[in-house]
Amino acid sequence: NAGVTQTPKFQVLKTGQSMTLQCAQDMNHEYMSWYRQDPGMGLRLIHYSVGAGITDQGEVPNGYNVSRSTTEDFPLRLLSAAPSQTSVYFCATTILDTQYFGPGTRLTVL
Amino acid sequence: GQQVMQIPQYQHVQEGEDFTTYCNSSTTLSNIQWYKQRPGGHPVFLIQLVKSGEVKKQKRLTFQFGEAKKNSSLHITATQTTDVGTYFCAGPRGSTLGRLYFGRGTQLTVWP
């Protein structure tokens, strides 16, 4: 996993609740990304970061916020969860343009 | 914008049969990458192809990058039950390092 950890592994939320998905890496990599994976949709980029203090939107950013205060951590925040955000979320770090994924967080929004 | 299309979406084979998945891009790619995701797991990097017409092999897996660098394929010879999973291709989004556009994947099922 190139030292990428994600917590929690599983989470169930009610509509309107907020939560933060944690992602951390211990390899001092600059580039980090968040993806969501839905059946038949592949991996879609939510947000990414090219270094501490620098983030940008991917293709499906709505409903999600990110920040990158340190190189190690890249949390993903859901401010008001919706059932459409039920998905598996993967954090990834980049080494020479190759993505190394964390184990994922399976999120269900009721 | 650039998209990476992958077919087929599903493939069911009997153990010992061959398997191929295809990836096509609307634009020329600087490189293409392949990933495998086992059921319940996370995507794992397999290989990166960079050169036009490049062919690389990993045991029973053969990866090709088209001459125009717009298409790629992954071929598995004599599939085994350990090959089960979803195979994704991915190409760079623009020039920003680490931004990839993933195909939707081909889910491979292997009957024993």
Side-chain angles (χ1 to χ4, degrees):
Chain A
N1 296 358
V4 180
T5 59
Q6 289 185 241
T7 55
K9 289 187 177 180
F10 301 94
Q11 183 72 51
V12 178
L13 293 176
K14 294 182 180 179
T15 297
Q17 288 185 316
S18 62
M19 81 158 294
T20 300
L21 281 63
Q22 301 292 344
C23 175
Q25 52 104 356
D26 59 3
M27 302 293 285
N28 204 34
H29 295 149
E30 295 293 331
Y31 294 82
M32 297 184 74
S33 305
W34 275 103
Y35 292 86
R36 61 176 290 174
Q37 184 176 33
D38 303 293
M41 296 298 293
L43 294 150
R44 293 183 292 171
L45 183 66
I46 305 171
H47 286 285
Y48 73 100
S49 172
V50 299
I54 306 171
T55 64
D56 205 348
Q57 296 180 350
E59 59 182 312
V60 287
N62 292 341
Y64 307 96
N65 283 348
V66 292
S67 60
R68 186 95 181 271
S69 57
T70 67
T71 300
E72 292 77 20
D73 300 300
F74 190 39
L76 179 71
R77 297 183 184 86
L78 284 72
L79 298 179
S80 180
S84 61
Q85 293 178 305
T86 294
S87 187
V88 181
Y89 292 85
F90 290 103
C91 178
T93 186
T94 299
I95 306 170
L96 296 177
D97 214 19
T98 297
Q99 304 279 283
Y100 291 88
F101 291 86
T105 295
R106 188 173 295 273
L107 175 67
T108 301
V109 183
L110 304 175
Chain B
Q2 173 192 309
Q3 291 199 21
V4 176
M5 310 301 292
Q6 192 174 353
I7 57 170
Q9 188 174 356
Y10 303 97
Q11 188 75 54
H12 309 280
V13 301
Q14 193 158 18
E15 191 172 20
E17 293 182 337
D18 293 355
F19 159 77
T20 305
T21 174
Y22 301 91
C23 190
N24 290 285
S25 170
S26 55
T27 60
T28 301
L29 300 170
S30 60
N31 70 80
I32 195 157
Q33 302 174 29
W34 286 92
Y35 294 77
K36 177 183 178 181
Q37 183 178 24
R38 296 182 185 274
H42 60 276
V44 175
F45 172 75
L46 293 177
I47 206 162
Q48 182 184 57
L49 304 172
V50 179
K51 299 177 182 177
S52 170
E54 189 170 15
V55 178
K56 287 189 176 181
K57 293 189 176 183
Q58 290 180 350
K59 297 183 180 179
R60 295 177 293 102
L61 279 62
T62 301
F63 304 85
Q64 291 186 309
F65 201 11
E67 294 290 341
K69 301 183 74 173
K70 288 186 175 182
N71 61 287
S72 181
S73 65
L74 159 59
H75 180 82
I76 302 178
T77 303
T79 55
Q80 300 176 357
T81 54
T82 54
D83 296 324
V84 165
T86 301
Y87 293 85
F88 295 97
C89 61
R93 298 170 179 258
S95 58
T96 303
L97 186 69
R99 294 194 69 184
L100 296 181
Y101 212 127
F102 281 82
R104 295 190 176 188
T106 297
Q107 185 176 324
L108 174 63
T109 305
V110 180
W111 299 321

